[in-house]
Amino acid sequence: MDEDLKVIGYAYHPETNSWRRGIYAFPGAVYIRRAHIRLKSYHRLEKLIGANFFNAYAFNKWEMWQWFSKTDVLSSHLPETVLASEEKEVKELLDRVEQVIFKPYKGYRGNGIYKVEKMEPAAYTVKYLAEECSVVETFTTWEELYRYISQSQDLQGYIAQHSISLLKFSGRLSDIRIIAQKGKKGTWQIQGMVTRYAGPENFVSNISRGGSAELTRESLLKLYEGNERKAAEKYQDLEAMALLICEHLDKVGFCYGNLGLDVAMDEQENLWLLEINNIYPDHTIALDADDDSLYHLAMSTPLLYTKWLSGFR
């Protein structure tokens, strides 16, 4: 890299607790915190500092399915997924599994999600969230149901996914947020896990939708009625799965160092990967679980990885 390159930026001054604008030497590494950068900027940055930047490319749920479904060891942890705009494929999936979730593949916070169930002898129900409550509609034909959803949402931006029969923790639907990061040694580590509980009558577990949270170690102990060995074994299974996912992601071609993996357990206690939050994942979920130390660890570790990328090893 040209040592004469300069950049206009801000430097933090702890003695005054303020940011100071100035002209600085071009950085040896960059941590992309807010949103992915355009491909043109990506390649320009790559020419300037090589591969020393991370979380620059924001992939969506459909890309995740395409990458991981081709890998035997990971495909068994993925709910079967098709593009929602392909009506025939969606219908075939629903006929096989009887419950399907329509969700935007770039969506977040549980917005725009529809849960569809095939009933007997010949009926369909669709459930979705409207403001603070769940709404259920019934249709006598598949054509009516699909038309209803496609008129409500642009299905070009949606996937349809096998709806897993989730295990209930403390009588409520839930999933697990796994905080996975690279740190001062440049390798993946699992910082912690938080169980998110769905709000009353909700089928999504987002905190913003009235849900709540607690540390997964605590929720597993409740699940296994205080059996520490069984709780520890399942926690280790979650850690192993998360590390496998992160290590496979390294092979895709983009560099990541800060992720939030959403994982769920079904009624047989199998583990399923639902989503990978890769655009500056919200680690305040640790605060929702009353763990300040996990929050501060999750916020500071990517800076140590940036330092590692810069050559301070």
Side-chain angles (χ1 to χ4, degrees):
M1 183 179 71
D2 189 343
E3 294 183 358
D4 294 329
L5 286 174
K6 304 293 181 182
V7 62
I8 297 174
Y10 292 82
Y12 179 70
H13 292 261
E15 66 276 7
T16 60
N17 191 30
S18 63
W19 291 87
R20 191 173 301 168
R21 190 174 188 271
I23 299 176
Y24 303 96
F26 204 84
V30 177
Y31 169 26
I32 310 296
R33 295 183 58 199
R34 285 297 177 186
H36 75 287
I37 59 179
R38 294 179 179 177
L39 200 57
K40 182 179 179 180
S41 299
Y42 184 100
H43 291 311
R44 185 180 180 189
L45 190 58
E46 196 171 37
K47 288 181 179 179
L48 289 169
I49 61 174
N52 294 343
F53 58 98
F54 61 101
N55 281 54
Y57 179 75
F59 61 88
N60 59 52
K61 299 177 183 73
W62 178 244
E63 288 175 292
M64 185 189 81
W65 162 259
Q66 291 177 303
W67 292 340
F68 292 169
S69 62
K70 297 179 177 66
T71 305
D72 290 341
V73 70
L74 292 177
S75 61
S76 61
H77 295 293
L78 295 176
E80 187 175 354
T81 304
V82 298
L83 289 172
S85 57
E86 300 293 333
E87 182 179 355
K88 181 181 177 182
E89 292 187 18
V90 179
K91 178 63 165 55
E92 290 175 350
L93 175 62
L94 183 60
D95 286 341
R96 287 198 306 274
V97 302
E98 297 187 341
Q99 289 189 13
V100 165
I101 292 281
F102 283 74
K103 60 175 69 171
Y105 55 66
K106 292 184 179 179
Y108 66 103
R109 296 185 182 276
N111 295 320
I113 293 179
Y114 296 79
K115 182 177 181 179
V116 174
E117 185 172 0
K118 184 178 181 181
M119 313 293 287
E120 294 297 334
Y124 301 87
T125 64
V126 57
K127 187 176 184 179
Y128 61 93
L129 297 177
E131 296 181 355
E132 300 300 322
C133 63
S134 295
V135 177
V136 179
E137 303 278 0
T138 302
F139 300 87
T140 56
T141 69
W142 161 256
E143 289 75 17
E144 290 176 339
L145 181 147
Y146 189 81
R147 189 183 313 115
Y148 174 80
I149 298 178
S150 60
Q151 289 176 347
S152 301
Q153 302 291 341
D154 180 7
L155 294 186
Q156 292 297 328
Y158 268 66
I159 55 173
Q161 193 171 70
H162 178 196
S163 178
I164 306 300
S165 296
L166 299 181
L167 180 70
K168 290 187 176 181
F169 284 70
S170 302
R172 297 163 66 187
L173 294 176
S174 63
D175 64 13
I176 297 169
R177 168 63 62 85
I178 302 177
I179 300 174
Q181 297 177 318
K182 291 177 181 175
K184 62 183 179 181
K185 294 184 179 180
T187 56
W188 286 108
Q189 54 199 51
I190 305 304
Q191 308 289 40
M193 305 183 199
V194 176
T195 302
R196 301 184 298 185
Y197 295 97
E201 305 301 320
N202 282 354
F203 59 92
V204 294
S205 57
N206 301 73
I207 304 299
S208 60
R209 291 287 188 174
S212 58
E214 71 176 353
L215 294 179
T216 299
R217 290 188 187 277
E218 297 174 7
S219 59
L220 288 174
L221 274 174
K222 292 177 183 177
L223 175 66
Y224 294 115
E225 299 178 339
N227 188 320
E228 295 184 3
R229 181 185 61 80
K230 290 187 70 174
E233 287 176 352
K234 182 57 69 174
Y235 196 92
Q236 290 170 0
D237 289 344
L238 286 160
E239 284 186 319
M241 175 182 168
L243 288 172
L244 191 65
I245 291 166
C246 293
E247 289 164 2
H248 182 74
L249 190 58
D250 281 341
K251 301 174 184 177
V252 170
F254 302 98
C255 182
Y256 296 93
N258 183 29
L259 300 172
L261 281 63
D262 290 342
V263 174
M265 293 173 60
D266 64 20
E267 293 174 345
Q268 288 73 45
E269 299 180 14
N270 300 309
L271 301 180
W272 298 91
L273 174 62
L274 304 179
E275 183 177 358
I276 300 177
N277 297 270
N278 58 91
I279 309 175
Y280 195 55
D282 185 5
H283 298 315
T284 58
I285 191 171
L287 300 179
D288 295 323
D290 297 321
D291 193 333
D292 291 2
S293 61
L294 176 58
Y295 172 73
H296 291 299
L297 176 66
M299 295 300 291
S300 61
T301 298
L303 301 180
L304 298 178
Y305 179 50
T306 309
K307 184 178 178 181
W308 182 87
L309 282 176
S310 298
F312 295 93
R313 304 174 185 179

